[in-house]
Amino acid sequence: MLFTEAHAGSRKPHERDSPPPRVLEDRRILLAIRYIEAHLERPLSLDRLASRAHLSTFHFQRRFREVMGETPSEYIRRTRLDRAAIHLLIYPEPVLSIAFSVGYASHEAFIRAFHRQFGLTPTQYRQFARQASIPTTEQEHRRAQAVQVVSLHDRPLVAMRFYGSYACVTENWRRFAEELQRIGYPLEQAQAIGVITDNPEITPNELVRYDCAVPDLGHPIGRSPLSRLTLPGGRYACLEHDAPYSEVFAAYRALATAWPQRSGERFVPQGGYELYREPPWQGDGSRQWLDIALGLES
């Protein structure tokens, strides 16, 4: 998952004031972003988002841009279209269906917005992205035979949002562990869960989202950069990874690309989870032992 550039991403440079912060510490903006990302398929008004952030609409827009380097509307549009790009890359479903699934009310509005962000129409992008993305190898197809389907229950989580390259994931976990210790969370009882949202072949490194999380034990989080999430219950396809984190993208390809071709299963558009078998904040980061879990349609 470590790429110098998003080779299946936008053909147009992203225009923004600055990259988002490495750690999203402004709790007001964090609450708004959690709401945005949980409701991308719905209309999202600035008034509602400002209310979530406990700010006036004027001050919310200004503060959001100061923190994130783009306006709330730009953030919503970009994250919706990045999700659409993942669908176009992986699934054969019609463009109109994808447009509706990411919150666009019309085919025309979706095509205009997509072309403005990616420099291609959705149909053109689908062809381009499939040619530009790294193909699965024979080894990854063999590895897909080890995929297991399991049922997971809803898991309340406490999480911390990071932005930046997947090369920084081990450092993110160490920063997260420091914050957990600060609130008195017992690290010796914690199962680490990474929340994956973006495909680094599509989203530029500086904009990639990664959430470090642990089960919610009810500790007060106050005004810390922590927030509460839920890992939704359901059927998941899982694949073990026990190697350097820099090699994890091969596991994702085996699970997300090679395995569906043989199983006929489809994934739900909720991102993925990394269920760590050993604490990722320990050791030198040269090896990480985890299970990748991607949600499946019922």
Side-chain angles (χ1 to χ4, degrees), residues 36-45 76-77 79-84 87 95-107 109-111 113 269:
I36 289 170
E37 294 175 357
H39 301 89
L40 277 180
E41 76 285 357
R42 302 180 188 176
L44 292 165
S45 71
I76 292 167
R77 181 171 59 251
T79 51
R80 278 176 169 164
L81 294 174
D82 276 7
R83 179 182 288 185
H87 279 237
V95 170
L96 182 59
S97 175
I98 294 173
F100 289 154
S101 73
V102 296
Y104 282 86
S106 75
H107 184 262
F110 175 66
I111 289 176

Side-chain angles (χ1 to χ4, degrees), residues 60-78:
F60 170 68
Q61 289 192 85
R62 186 173 67 178
R63 182 58 183 162
F64 192 102
R65 187 164 189 166
E66 287 174 353
V67 172
M68 300 304 297
E70 60 189 332
T71 67
S73 297
E74 288 167 342
Y75 188 90
I76 292 167
R77 181 171 59 251
R78 181 175 59 77

Side-chain angles (χ1 to χ4, degrees), residues 201-245:
E201 292 189 286
I202 294 170
T203 302
N205 281 330
E206 67 271 15
L207 304 180
V208 165
R209 297 164 284 178
Y210 189 93
D211 286 295
C212 295
V214 290
D216 185 0
L217 302 181
H219 288 71
I221 59 178
R223 299 181 64 82
S224 74
L226 302 173
S227 59
R228 290 186 160 88
L229 299 176
T230 299
L231 189 162
R235 296 170 62 244
Y236 283 80
C238 296
L239 181 62
E240 182 181 352
H241 174 78
D242 185 6
Y245 192 82

Side-chain angles (χ1 to χ4, degrees), residues 24-35:
L24 182 49
E25 298 190 74
D26 189 309
R27 184 158 184 79
R28 298 166 299 180
I29 303 306
L30 175 61
L31 291 173
I33 281 180
R34 293 296 190 203
Y35 187 82

Side-chain angles (χ1 to χ4, degrees), residues 30-234:
L30 175 61
L31 291 173
I33 281 180
R34 293 296 190 203
Y35 187 82
I36 289 170
E37 294 175 357
H39 301 89
L40 277 180
E41 76 285 357
R42 302 180 188 176
L44 292 165
S45 71
L46 284 174
D47 288 345
R48 177 171 294 183
L49 296 177
S51 175
R52 290 275 167 175
H54 307 293
L55 291 167
S56 69
T57 302
F58 172 79
H59 286 98
F60 170 68
Q61 289 192 85
R62 186 173 67 178
R63 182 58 183 162
F64 192 102
R65 187 164 189 166
E66 287 174 353
V67 172
M68 300 304 297
E70 60 189 332
T71 67
S73 297
E74 288 167 342
Y75 188 90
I76 292 167
R77 181 171 59 251
R78 181 175 59 77
T79 51
R80 278 176 169 164
L81 294 174
D82 276 7
R83 179 182 288 185
I86 293 173
H87 279 237
L88 289 163
L89 173 61
I90 296 175
Y91 298 134
E93 60 196 276
V95 170
L96 182 59
S97 175
I98 294 173
F100 289 154
S101 73
V102 296
Y104 282 86
S106 75
H107 184 262
E108 293 75 17
F110 175 66
I111 289 176
R112 285 196 302 270
F114 194 93
H115 190 277
R116 187 163 61 247
Q117 178 159 317
F118 285 90
L120 299 167
T121 67
T123 301
Q124 290 169 336
Y125 174 81
R126 174 176 269 160
Q127 180 178 6
F128 156 75
R130 291 179 178 178
Q131 292 174 346
S133 62
I134 298 173
T136 50
T137 65
E138 286 299 322
Q139 181 181 2
E140 289 160 4
H141 278 278
R142 289 194 298 271
R143 190 174 182 182
Q145 298 176 24
V147 172
Q148 296 184 334
V149 176
V150 302
S151 293
L152 299 178
H153 299 293
D154 282 357
R155 296 191 189 182
L157 305 175
V158 172
M160 191 168 176
R161 166 57 59 86
F162 294 86
Y163 290 88
S165 168
Y166 285 109
C168 301
V169 163
T170 298
E171 186 180 338
N172 293 347
W173 281 111
R174 292 183 179 134
R175 170 71 177 83
F176 179 56
E178 292 173 359
E179 191 64 34
L180 292 178
Q181 289 178 312
R182 194 189 65 77
I183 67 168
Y185 191 99
L187 288 181
E188 65 278 3
Q189 301 177 20
Q191 183 197 5
I193 300 174
V195 185
I196 299 292
T197 307
D198 297 306
N199 182 333
E201 292 189 286
I202 294 170
T203 302
N205 281 330
E206 67 271 15
L207 304 180
V208 165
R209 297 164 284 178
Y210 189 93
D211 286 295
C212 295
V214 290
D216 185 0
L217 302 181
H219 288 71
I221 59 178
R223 299 181 64 82
S224 74
L226 302 173
S227 59
R228 290 186 160 88
L229 299 176
T230 299
L231 189 162

